[in-house]
Amino acid sequence: MKCKSLILSVLSFILFGLSTQLLHGQDKAVQLFAHRGGAHEQDENTLSAFKASYEKGLRGFETDVRITKDGVYVISHDPSLERTNGSKGIVEQLTAAELRKVKTKKGNQFLFLDDLLEYLSDKPSIYVEFEMKTRPEDYPQEKLEPYCDQLYKKIMAKKPADALYVLTAFDKRPLKYLKSRYPEVELLYITSSSLSVEVIKETQELGIKRVGCRLGGTSRDLVRAAQKEGLIVSCWPGLSVDDFLLGVSLGCDYLCSDVPVEVFTWMKNKMPWVTIK
């Protein structure tokens, strides 16, 4: 009971602080986006996940892109099919035809990039992150460069006119390559660490303006410092409404969530003065 009371007290303090701050700043807006289409609410990275989240009001999404053995772009976070599909095999070692026969544990079809892009093509004012899953052992430089070229051209060809499509990666190689080839491309550098002076410097050295870092350990002062340097700050993971509230209190521009529908609904009902983009 003591632990529960402490949690409620902390949450009340956060809400009081946010309310005091945001009631005086009605233009506060945060981009909420659904991690893998809503990883803890939906069947992650399936077309049904993106459809369900969109129909519930979400306008921001994140997904993961790989290529098959025969060069077809598919949506999959893991290289292995075991966790999500209960099957043996590595995505990059299978053909498109083989993956078309694969279903998730919940019975959904394996998702291909073209199908996702087609679904999103008529959705106005959306934000989508396409994470490039380019481990060096799977994507040596001679494979990486055509992967980047074709992926960029594919997503831009189907992008709604007013949408914001961003290519992201932990791997700096595709970010550097795309920046050199397509100066206008929107890129985001993801790091598994919290925001720090070193992460800000790394992002600036890449010549890009977006950084995605861990929510835990990130401070408000560092978020402000990054923004002062012209960076746009995104934080993850978002496992709960509390995580989202923490991100808002830190002043983050973009917040990733595995429970985006829950967050969206809670914010709409409890904190309507915060605009969720």
Side-chain angles (χ1 to χ4, degrees), residues 45-47 66 68 73-78 80-81 84-85 91 96 98-104 107-112 115:
N45 273 336
T46 61
L47 194 55
R66 299 177 179 276
T68 65
Y73 288 79
V74 294
I75 302 300
S76 179
H77 177 271
D78 299 1
S80 168
L81 297 176
T84 54
N85 303 85
V91 172
E98 289 171 320
L99 286 171
R100 289 192 188 281
K101 299 175 183 178
V102 171
K103 290 189 176 182
T104 67
N108 286 295
Q109 294 290 337
F110 196 90
L111 183 56
F112 284 67
D115 295 328

mmCIF file of all heavy atoms in Angstrom, residues 45-47 66 68 73-78 80-81 84-85 91 96 98-104 107-112 115:
data_model
loop_
_atom_site.group_PDB
_atom_site.id
_atom_site.type_symbol
_atom_site.label_atom_id
_atom_site.label_comp_id
_atom_site.label_asym_id
_atom_site.label_seq_id
_atom_site.Cartn_x
_atom_site.Cartn_y
_atom_site.Cartn_z
ATOM 1 N N ASN A 45 3.772 -4.592 -36.216
ATOM 2 C CA ASN A 45 4.272 -4.548 -37.594
ATOM 3 C C ASN A 45 3.436 -5.364 -38.580
ATOM 4 O O ASN A 45 3.958 -5.943 -39.537
ATOM 5 C CB ASN A 45 5.738 -5.000 -37.646
ATOM 6 C CG ASN A 45 6.701 -3.841 -37.392
ATOM 7 O OD1 ASN A 45 6.355 -2.675 -37.612
ATOM 8 N ND2 ASN A 45 7.910 -4.153 -36.951
ATOM 9 N N THR A 46 2.129 -5.390 -38.342
ATOM 10 C CA THR A 46 1.212 -5.995 -39.307
ATOM 11 C C THR A 46 0.317 -4.883 -39.846
ATOM 12 O O THR A 46 0.160 -3.830 -39.215
ATOM 13 C CB THR A 46 0.330 -7.078 -38.666
ATOM 14 O OG1 THR A 46 -0.464 -6.489 -37.615
ATOM 15 C CG2 THR A 46 1.178 -8.207 -38.096
ATOM 16 N N LEU A 47 -0.280 -5.123 -40.982
ATOM 17 C CA LEU A 47 -1.156 -4.107 -41.555
ATOM 18 C C LEU A 47 -2.333 -3.838 -40.621
ATOM 19 O O LEU A 47 -2.787 -2.690 -40.482
ATOM 20 C CB LEU A 47 -1.655 -4.549 -42.928
ATOM 21 C CG LEU A 47 -2.309 -3.460 -43.781
ATOM 22 C CD1 LEU A 47 -1.384 -2.263 -43.964
ATOM 23 C CD2 LEU A 47 -2.731 -4.027 -45.129
ATOM 24 N N ARG A 66 13.465 -4.343 -43.681
ATOM 25 C CA ARG A 66 14.527 -5.268 -44.090
ATOM 26 C C ARG A 66 14.302 -5.645 -45.550
ATOM 27 O O ARG A 66 13.266 -5.311 -46.143
ATOM 28 C CB ARG A 66 14.513 -6.527 -43.219
ATOM 29 C CG ARG A 66 14.749 -6.270 -41.741
ATOM 30 C CD ARG A 66 14.643 -7.550 -40.913
ATOM 31 N NE ARG A 66 14.893 -7.280 -39.509
ATOM 32 C CZ ARG A 66 16.101 -7.213 -38.953
ATOM 33 N NH1 ARG A 66 17.177 -7.465 -39.690
ATOM 34 N NH2 ARG A 66 16.259 -6.940 -37.684
ATOM 35 N N THR A 68 14.461 -9.054 -48.326
ATOM 36 C CA THR A 68 14.521 -10.507 -48.463
ATOM 37 C C THR A 68 15.764 -10.919 -49.256
ATOM 38 O O THR A 68 16.482 -10.086 -49.810
ATOM 39 C CB THR A 68 13.273 -11.024 -49.190
ATOM 40 O OG1 THR A 68 13.290 -10.500 -50.536
ATOM 41 C CG2 THR A 68 12.004 -10.589 -48.491
ATOM 42 N N TYR A 73 11.470 -5.521 -50.182
ATOM 43 C CA TYR A 73 11.413 -4.834 -48.892
ATOM 44 C C TYR A 73 10.236 -5.333 -48.055
ATOM 45 O O TYR A 73 9.093 -5.386 -48.529
ATOM 46 C CB TYR A 73 11.291 -3.323 -49.106
ATOM 47 C CG TYR A 73 12.574 -2.709 -49.608
ATOM 48 C CD1 TYR A 73 12.925 -2.809 -50.947
ATOM 49 C CD2 TYR A 73 13.445 -2.058 -48.752
ATOM 50 C CE1 TYR A 73 14.116 -2.272 -51.419
ATOM 51 C CE2 TYR A 73 14.631 -1.512 -49.215
ATOM 52 C CZ TYR A 73 14.964 -1.620 -50.550
ATOM 53 O OH TYR A 73 16.150 -1.101 -51.017
ATOM 54 N N VAL A 74 10.536 -5.682 -46.812
ATOM 55 C CA VAL A 74 9.518 -6.208 -45.905
ATOM 56 C C VAL A 74 9.619 -5.506 -44.555
ATOM 57 O O VAL A 74 10.612 -4.855 -44.240
ATOM 58 C CB VAL A 74 9.664 -7.733 -45.718
ATOM 59 C CG1 VAL A 74 9.374 -8.467 -47.007
ATOM 60 C CG2 VAL A 74 11.050 -8.091 -45.184
ATOM 61 N N ILE A 75 8.564 -5.688 -43.763
ATOM 62 C CA ILE A 75 8.466 -5.054 -42.447
ATOM 63 C C ILE A 75 8.702 -6.110 -41.368
ATOM 64 O O ILE A 75 7.915 -7.053 -41.225
ATOM 65 C CB ILE A 75 7.072 -4.418 -42.252
ATOM 66 C CG1 ILE A 75 6.789 -3.381 -43.335
ATOM 67 C CG2 ILE A 75 6.960 -3.818 -40.860
ATOM 68 C CD1 ILE A 75 7.753 -2.226 -43.384
ATOM 69 N N SER A 76 9.798 -5.931 -40.623
ATOM 70 C CA SER A 76 10.094 -6.872 -39.542
ATOM 71 C C SER A 76 11.127 -6.263 -38.605
ATOM 72 O O SER A 76 12.180 -5.807 -39.054
ATOM 73 C CB SER A 76 10.628 -8.197 -40.100
ATOM 74 O OG SER A 76 10.928 -9.097 -39.053
ATOM 75 N N HIS A 77 10.820 -6.261 -37.330
ATOM 76 C CA HIS A 77 11.795 -5.752 -36.363
ATOM 77 C C HIS A 77 12.938 -6.731 -36.175
ATOM 78 O O HIS A 77 14.107 -6.377 -36.252
ATOM 79 C CB HIS A 77 11.132 -5.484 -35.011
ATOM 80 C CG HIS A 77 12.106 -5.031 -33.959
ATOM 81 N ND1 HIS A 77 12.782 -5.918 -33.134
ATOM 82 C CD2 HIS A 77 12.547 -3.800 -33.624
ATOM 83 C CE1 HIS A 77 13.582 -5.240 -32.337
ATOM 84 N NE2 HIS A 77 13.462 -3.954 -32.611
ATOM 85 N N ASP A 78 12.625 -7.995 -35.938
ATOM 86 C CA ASP A 78 13.650 -9.007 -35.677
ATOM 87 C C ASP A 78 14.156 -9.607 -36.983
ATOM 88 O O ASP A 78 13.380 -9.783 -37.930
ATOM 89 C CB ASP A 78 13.062 -10.151 -34.836
ATOM 90 C CG ASP A 78 12.556 -9.691 -33.481
ATOM 91 O OD1 ASP A 78 12.631 -8.478 -33.186
ATOM 92 O OD2 ASP A 78 12.060 -10.549 -32.726
ATOM 93 N N SER A 80 15.008 -12.705 -37.041
ATOM 94 C CA SER A 80 14.425 -14.043 -36.936
ATOM 95 C C SER A 80 12.903 -13.980 -36.903
ATOM 96 O O SER A 80 12.310 -13.027 -36.391
ATOM 97 C CB SER A 80 14.929 -14.721 -35.656
ATOM 98 O OG SER A 80 14.194 -15.899 -35.383
ATOM 99 N N LEU A 81 12.255 -15.022 -37.425
ATOM 100 C CA LEU A 81 10.798 -15.119 -37.418
ATOM 101 C C LEU A 81 10.245 -15.725 -36.120
ATOM 102 O O LEU A 81 9.037 -15.731 -35.913
ATOM 103 C CB LEU A 81 10.335 -15.993 -38.592
ATOM 104 C CG LEU A 81 10.652 -15.497 -40.005
ATOM 105 C CD1 LEU A 81 10.207 -16.539 -41.019
ATOM 106 C CD2 LEU A 81 9.987 -14.163 -40.277
ATOM 107 N N THR A 84 7.835 -13.421 -33.315
ATOM 108 C CA THR A 84 6.540 -12.910 -33.786
ATOM 109 C C THR A 84 5.737 -13.913 -34.607
ATOM 110 O O THR A 84 4.512 -13.848 -34.645
ATOM 111 C CB THR A 84 6.749 -11.636 -34.619
ATOM 112 O OG1 THR A 84 7.695 -11.900 -35.657
ATOM 113 C CG2 THR A 84 7.252 -10.490 -33.751
ATOM 114 N N ASN A 85 6.429 -14.821 -35.272
ATOM 115 C CA ASN A 85 5.734 -15.735 -36.189
ATOM 116 C C ASN A 85 5.784 -17.194 -35.763
ATOM 117 O O ASN A 85 5.086 -18.034 -36.336
ATOM 118 C CB ASN A 85 6.316 -15.605 -37.599
ATOM 119 C CG ASN A 85 6.237 -14.177 -38.116
ATOM 120 O OD1 ASN A 85 7.112 -13.363 -37.843
ATOM 121 N ND2 ASN A 85 5.175 -13.851 -38.833
ATOM 122 N N VAL A 91 14.921 -13.430 -41.953
ATOM 123 C CA VAL A 91 14.260 -12.672 -43.022
ATOM 124 C C VAL A 91 15.159 -12.516 -44.238
ATOM 125 O O VAL A 91 14.748 -12.778 -45.380
ATOM 126 C CB VAL A 91 13.821 -11.286 -42.511
ATOM 127 C CG1 VAL A 91 13.323 -10.410 -43.649
ATOM 128 C CG2 VAL A 91 12.730 -11.449 -41.443
ATOM 129 N N ALA A 96 10.858 -13.589 -51.004
ATOM 130 C CA ALA A 96 9.550 -12.973 -50.831
ATOM 131 C C ALA A 96 8.442 -14.021 -50.911
ATOM 132 O O ALA A 96 7.469 -13.981 -50.141
ATOM 133 C CB ALA A 96 9.344 -11.901 -51.897
ATOM 134 N N GLU A 98 8.559 -17.120 -50.064
ATOM 135 C CA GLU A 98 8.530 -17.890 -48.816
ATOM 136 C C GLU A 98 7.851 -17.094 -47.700
ATOM 137 O O GLU A 98 7.064 -17.634 -46.914
ATOM 138 C CB GLU A 98 9.949 -18.276 -48.418
ATOM 139 C CG GLU A 98 10.562 -19.339 -49.329
ATOM 140 C CD GLU A 98 12.045 -19.573 -49.061
ATOM 141 O OE1 GLU A 98 12.781 -18.584 -48.826
ATOM 142 O OE2 GLU A 98 12.470 -20.746 -49.108
ATOM 143 N N LEU A 99 8.140 -15.787 -47.632
ATOM 144 C CA LEU A 99 7.563 -14.964 -46.574
ATOM 145 C C LEU A 99 6.076 -14.705 -46.788
ATOM 146 O O LEU A 99 5.342 -14.452 -45.825
ATOM 147 C CB LEU A 99 8.325 -13.644 -46.457
ATOM 148 C CG LEU A 99 9.705 -13.765 -45.800
ATOM 149 C CD1 LEU A 99 10.481 -12.458 -45.912
ATOM 150 C CD2 LEU A 99 9.573 -14.178 -44.329
ATOM 151 N N ARG A 100 5.619 -14.765 -48.018
ATOM 152 C CA ARG A 100 4.186 -14.581 -48.273
ATOM 153 C C ARG A 100 3.359 -15.735 -47.690
ATOM 154 O O ARG A 100 2.148 -15.610 -47.496
ATOM 155 C CB ARG A 100 3.922 -14.441 -49.767
ATOM 156 C CG ARG A 100 4.428 -13.116 -50.328
ATOM 157 C CD ARG A 100 3.926 -12.838 -51.721
ATOM 158 N NE ARG A 100 4.590 -11.659 -52.285
ATOM 159 C CZ ARG A 100 4.275 -10.396 -52.007
ATOM 160 N NH1 ARG A 100 3.283 -10.159 -51.158
ATOM 161 N NH2 ARG A 100 4.927 -9.394 -52.560
ATOM 162 N N LYS A 101 4.003 -16.834 -47.401
ATOM 163 C CA LYS A 101 3.321 -17.987 -46.802
ATOM 164 C C LYS A 101 3.329 -17.924 -45.275
ATOM 165 O O LYS A 101 2.674 -18.736 -44.611
ATOM 166 C CB LYS A 101 3.993 -19.284 -47.255
ATOM 167 C CG LYS A 101 3.949 -19.505 -48.763
ATOM 168 C CD LYS A 101 4.733 -20.756 -49.139
ATOM 169 C CE LYS A 101 4.771 -20.971 -50.645
ATOM 170 N NZ LYS A 101 5.582 -22.156 -51.021
ATOM 171 N N VAL A 102 4.067 -16.950 -44.727
ATOM 172 C CA VAL A 102 4.244 -16.865 -43.279
ATOM 173 C C VAL A 102 3.141 -16.016 -42.651
ATOM 174 O O VAL A 102 2.775 -14.965 -43.167
ATOM 175 C CB VAL A 102 5.630 -16.250 -42.952
ATOM 176 C CG1 VAL A 102 5.746 -15.945 -41.452
ATOM 177 C CG2 VAL A 102 6.737 -17.204 -43.386
ATOM 178 N N LYS A 103 2.637 -16.465 -41.507
ATOM 179 C CA LYS A 103 1.678 -15.685 -40.726
ATOM 180 C C LYS A 103 2.216 -15.485 -39.316
ATOM 181 O O LYS A 103 3.057 -16.236 -38.833
ATOM 182 C CB LYS A 103 0.324 -16.406 -40.674
ATOM 183 C CG LYS A 103 -0.405 -16.421 -42.003
ATOM 184 C CD LYS A 103 -1.818 -16.934 -41.846
ATOM 185 C CE LYS A 103 -2.572 -16.856 -43.171
ATOM 186 N NZ LYS A 103 -3.979 -17.325 -43.016
ATOM 187 N N THR A 104 1.712 -14.443 -38.662
ATOM 188 C CA THR A 104 2.109 -14.197 -37.284
ATOM 189 C C THR A 104 1.427 -15.213 -36.372
ATOM 190 O O THR A 104 0.525 -15.949 -36.796
ATOM 191 C CB THR A 104 1.697 -12.787 -36.835
ATOM 192 O OG1 THR A 104 0.258 -12.717 -36.770
ATOM 193 C CG2 THR A 104 2.207 -11.726 -37.799
ATOM 194 N N GLY A 107 -2.150 -14.869 -36.540
ATOM 195 C CA GLY A 107 -2.824 -15.178 -37.786
ATOM 196 C C GLY A 107 -2.785 -14.123 -38.868
ATOM 197 O O GLY A 107 -3.435 -14.271 -39.906
ATOM 198 N N ASN A 108 -2.023 -13.057 -38.659
ATOM 199 C CA ASN A 108 -1.914 -12.008 -39.677
ATOM 200 C C ASN A 108 -0.818 -12.320 -40.683
ATOM 201 O O ASN A 108 0.180 -12.974 -40.362
ATOM 202 C CB ASN A 108 -1.625 -10.662 -39.015
ATOM 203 C CG ASN A 108 -2.851 -10.093 -38.323
ATOM 204 O OD1 ASN A 108 -3.838 -9.764 -38.959
ATOM 205 N ND2 ASN A 108 -2.794 -10.014 -36.997
ATOM 206 N N GLN A 109 -1.005 -11.814 -41.881
ATOM 207 C CA GLN A 109 -0.019 -12.013 -42.942
ATOM 208 C C GLN A 109 1.257 -11.229 -42.654
ATOM 209 O O GLN A 109 1.216 -10.143 -42.067
ATOM 210 C CB GLN A 109 -0.585 -11.545 -44.287
ATOM 211 C CG GLN A 109 -1.749 -12.362 -44.806
ATOM 212 C CD GLN A 109 -1.332 -13.759 -45.242
ATOM 213 O OE1 GLN A 109 -0.177 -14.017 -45.561
ATOM 214 N NE2 GLN A 109 -2.279 -14.678 -45.257
ATOM 215 N N PHE A 110 2.379 -11.771 -43.060
ATOM 216 C CA PHE A 110 3.662 -11.058 -42.996
ATOM 217 C C PHE A 110 3.513 -9.803 -43.851
ATOM 218 O O PHE A 110 2.973 -9.850 -44.958
ATOM 219 C CB PHE A 110 4.779 -11.952 -43.535
ATOM 220 C CG PHE A 110 6.156 -11.488 -43.170
ATOM 221 C CD1 PHE A 110 6.768 -11.928 -42.009
ATOM 222 C CD2 PHE A 110 6.834 -10.595 -43.983
ATOM 223 C CE1 PHE A 110 8.041 -11.487 -41.662
ATOM 224 C CE2 PHE A 110 8.101 -10.155 -43.652
ATOM 225 C CZ PHE A 110 8.707 -10.600 -42.488
ATOM 226 N N LEU A 111 3.994 -8.670 -43.356
ATOM 227 C CA LEU A 111 3.763 -7.398 -44.035
ATOM 228 C C LEU A 111 4.914 -7.008 -44.961
ATOM 229 O O LEU A 111 6.082 -7.043 -44.562
ATOM 230 C CB LEU A 111 3.553 -6.290 -42.993
ATOM 231 C CG LEU A 111 3.232 -4.887 -43.511
ATOM 232 C CD1 LEU A 111 2.005 -4.887 -44.423
ATOM 233 C CD2 LEU A 111 3.031 -3.944 -42.333
ATOM 234 N N PHE A 112 4.564 -6.604 -46.167
ATOM 235 C CA PHE A 112 5.527 -6.119 -47.146
ATOM 236 C C PHE A 112 5.462 -4.592 -47.193
ATOM 237 O O PHE A 112 4.387 -3.995 -47.038
ATOM 238 C CB PHE A 112 5.238 -6.720 -48.519
ATOM 239 C CG PHE A 112 5.675 -8.155 -48.648
ATOM 240 C CD1 PHE A 112 5.047 -9.159 -47.918
ATOM 241 C CD2 PHE A 112 6.732 -8.503 -49.481
ATOM 242 C CE1 PHE A 112 5.457 -10.488 -48.016
ATOM 243 C CE2 PHE A 112 7.150 -9.823 -49.590
ATOM 244 C CZ PHE A 112 6.518 -10.818 -48.853
ATOM 245 N N ASP A 115 2.850 -2.853 -49.389
ATOM 246 C CA ASP A 115 1.473 -2.889 -48.887
ATOM 247 C C ASP A 115 1.249 -1.816 -47.821
ATOM 248 O O ASP A 115 0.181 -1.185 -47.780
ATOM 249 C CB ASP A 115 1.144 -4.273 -48.328
ATOM 250 C CG ASP A 115 1.156 -5.343 -49.411
ATOM 251 O OD1 ASP A 115 0.813 -5.025 -50.567
ATOM 252 O OD2 ASP A 115 1.514 -6.498 -49.101
#
